[in-house]
Amino acid sequence: MSLLAIAPVIPVVVIDDLETAVPLARALVAGGLPVIEVTLRTAHALKAIQRIAAEVPEAVIGAGTVRVQADVLASVKAGAKFLVSPGSTPALLDAMEASGVPFLPGVATASEVMTLAERGLTEMKFFPAEAAGGLPYLKSLGGPLPDIRFCPTGGIRLATAPDYLALPNVGCVGGTWLTPADALAAGDYARIEKLAAEAAALR
């Protein structure tokens, strides 16, 4: 199944405290969002992916902020079921294609989209969504590139997500609003589950 078709929102998660990884994943899954992107921005990211993969089997856990081949190899070894990159280079694309797991390469321009399409790729991450042109830009891409579908990420909120999801070339959106830092710090996983449920209801 396409990564873009599993749930309307992919939570983009930064793990600062390793002990929050499993309960956080369980809360998101319970709320109806099984696809979870853990960004490789902290020292705990790979261990968090490993723990979630082992202890929350119903989650489809992936690695985000994948930038180089070493990130690809380490993420897959840790148990990542998919990969997400902020942008795309030939070397990174080669590594992700060779990984054997699905991936969403990052794009921000029509030329980048067309370059990836030449490789046969049709599903991409549009990043940073709001800063790169947001809804009007994605609508414009839909005309000349109707076969490409996106997961826009970056600056999207619960209030704006439905507008993105209404576009025919958007399969899902990525968002950080589902895991507020204060909720994580307080261990308020009920709040995170509630936020996930609100997001899951968008489609």
Side-chain angles (χ1 to χ4, degrees):
M1 178 181 282
S2 161
L3 277 174
L4 305 187
I6 300 174
V9 180
I10 296 178
V12 179
V13 178
V14 178
I15 302 291
D16 289 307
D17 179 356
L18 185 57
E19 298 310 312
T20 67
V22 168
L24 168 62
R26 286 178 175 150
L28 291 170
V29 170
L33 299 180
V35 184
I36 304 167
E37 174 190 335
V38 173
T39 64
L40 301 183
R41 298 182 193 176
T42 70
H44 299 303
L46 290 169
K47 286 185 178 178
I49 290 169
Q50 192 172 27
R51 282 200 186 179
I52 294 169
E55 299 181 43
V56 194
E58 60 271 36
V60 181
I61 186 67
T65 322
V66 173
R67 297 172 52 193
V68 295
Q69 182 186 32
D71 293 338
V72 173
L73 297 175
S75 297
V76 173
K77 184 178 179 181
K81 299 295 190 292
F82 67 94
L83 307 168
V84 184
S85 65
S88 306
T89 67
L92 178 59
L93 289 169
D94 288 345
M96 290 196 294
E97 287 180 332
S99 71
V101 301
F103 60 95
L104 292 175
V107 294
T109 68
S111 292
E112 290 171 354
V113 174
M114 291 170 65
T115 298
L116 268 61
E118 285 183 353
R119 285 180 170 249
L121 302 174
T122 58
E123 296 187 347
M124 307 170 193
K125 169 182 174 174
F126 179 61
F127 176 82
E130 287 285 287
L135 287 163
Y137 195 89
L138 280 171
K139 283 181 183 177
S140 298
L141 287 180
L145 302 164
D147 55 325
I148 308 299
R149 298 179 77 233
F150 300 96
C151 172
T153 304
I156 298 173
R157 298 169 286 111
L158 179 63
T160 58
D163 295 328
Y164 279 94
L165 292 168
L167 296 178
N169 60 345
V170 171
C172 65
V173 300
T176 58
W177 80 85
L178 299 138
T179 54
D182 59 339
L184 281 175
D188 190 355
Y189 299 108
R191 178 181 168 199
I192 291 171
E193 182 178 340
K194 182 175 181 290
L195 290 170
E198 290 174 347
L202 292 177
R203 181 162 67 200

